[in-house]
Amino acid sequence: LAVSSPSSQDGLHRGLTLKEFKSGMKNAGIRDFYVEAIVGKDNDASNAVSLSAISSQRTEVIDSLSKTPCYRYELASNDIN
């Protein structure tokens, strides 16, 4: 999960960690949520990020709109430490 930061000194995007996101959701009164990513099987870069940031477990799915083979990654808020 990443957000653009126009105020960053170096012009690079700054990452918002899942732990920070969970804290923000908790402050907004939202305790339970899921992070999900649907990534095309041929998108190596996004699959690598999803494997490391969301879950090492993935499920093969077919995207309902494009009908292309994808991987689904899911992470429950209570699994974010």
Side-chain angles (χ1 to χ4, degrees), residues 1-52:
L1 180 62
V3 294
S4 175
S5 175
S7 64
S8 65
Q9 298 278 334
D10 56 7
L12 298 175
H13 293 268
R14 298 288 183 200
L16 174 66
T17 68
L18 290 172
K19 191 173 183 179
E20 291 169 325
F21 183 77
K22 180 179 180 179
S23 176
M25 295 293 278
K26 183 178 178 182
N27 291 341
I30 301 169
R31 304 247 185 259
D32 298 320
F33 62 91
Y34 285 87
V35 176
E36 179 184 60
I38 305 294
V39 181
K41 279 184 151 183
D42 61 349
N43 190 336
D44 294 335
S46 292
N47 278 302
V49 170
S50 297
L51 280 168
S52 66

Side-chain angles (χ1 to χ4, degrees), residues 22 75-81:
K22 180 179 180 179
L75 178 65
S77 59
N78 60 354
D79 292 331
I80 299 171
N81 298 317

